[in-house]
Amino acid sequence: MSQNINLFTPAFRKQRRVLTLGTVAQCLGVTLVALLGYHFYLDLQVSGLAAELQVAEGMVRSQKGYVDNLKGRTAALKLDVQLDADVARLENELKVAREAMAALKGGAFGNQQGYAEYLRAFSRQS
């Protein structure tokens, strides 16, 4: 009786190890190189932003100095009460003048056709 041996069964196949020390070292090396590259890229961006931040802080300091200077000037100036009274008086005069112009344009004070008709009526009288 002859017996056949099946060499394709998993028991007779050569076993392959997928995760070996060399494979783990290679993956770790690639990951390390990628992370170092990304770290270098982010470090460049941060250094650029830090320089930009220093410039902006310098501008803020100069603007704060300018604002403080302006506040000192305005505190030193006295408010002129006479100017405020003059402004109020002139605004009141302007309001009265505008009301008078509106009344004249509206025809509240008689005929807007002029005096010609009155003069013609006087000329017809004997």
Side-chain angles (χ1 to χ4, degrees), residues 71-78:
K71 284 181 182 177
R73 283 187 194 173
T74 56
L77 293 176
K78 292 182 179 178

Side-chain angles (χ1 to χ4, degrees), residues 58-70:
M59 290 176 68
V60 165
R61 279 193 299 271
S62 68
Q63 290 297 321
K64 281 185 181 178
Y66 181 69
V67 167
D68 291 341
N69 186 12
L70 288 178

Side-chain angles (χ1 to χ4, degrees), residues 1-118:
M1 171 179 257
S2 71
Q3 189 176 18
N4 292 332
I5 299 174
N6 188 1
L7 298 177
F8 294 109
T9 62
F12 295 116
R13 287 191 204 152
K14 184 177 180 182
Q15 297 292 324
R16 257 183 105 188
R17 291 184 174 168
V18 178
L19 192 63
T20 62
L21 183 61
T23 308
V24 170
Q26 285 176 350
C27 289
L28 186 63
V30 168
T31 304
L32 187 64
V33 168
L35 286 176
L36 285 174
Y38 189 62
H39 176 70
F40 180 71
Y41 171 73
L42 291 178
D43 194 32
L44 283 176
Q45 282 188 340
V46 166
S47 65
L49 290 174
E52 226 177 289
L53 178 65
Q54 287 177 350
V55 169
E57 285 174 348
M59 290 176 68
V60 165
R61 279 193 299 271
S62 68
Q63 290 297 321
K64 281 185 181 178
Y66 181 69
V67 167
D68 291 341
N69 186 12
L70 288 178
K71 284 181 182 177
R73 283 187 194 173
T74 56
L77 293 176
K78 292 182 179 178
L79 295 177
D80 194 1
V81 178
Q82 181 62 34
L83 286 177
D84 290 338
D86 287 344
V87 167
R89 181 182 51 84
L90 290 173
E91 284 178 350
N92 191 25
E93 287 179 14
L94 179 64
K95 184 177 115 180
V96 168
R98 285 185 177 162
E99 289 174 355
M101 288 296 293
L104 288 175
K105 284 182 181 178
F109 294 107
N111 187 3
Q112 288 190 352
Q113 304 301 325
Y115 295 104
E117 211 43 55
Y118 293 120

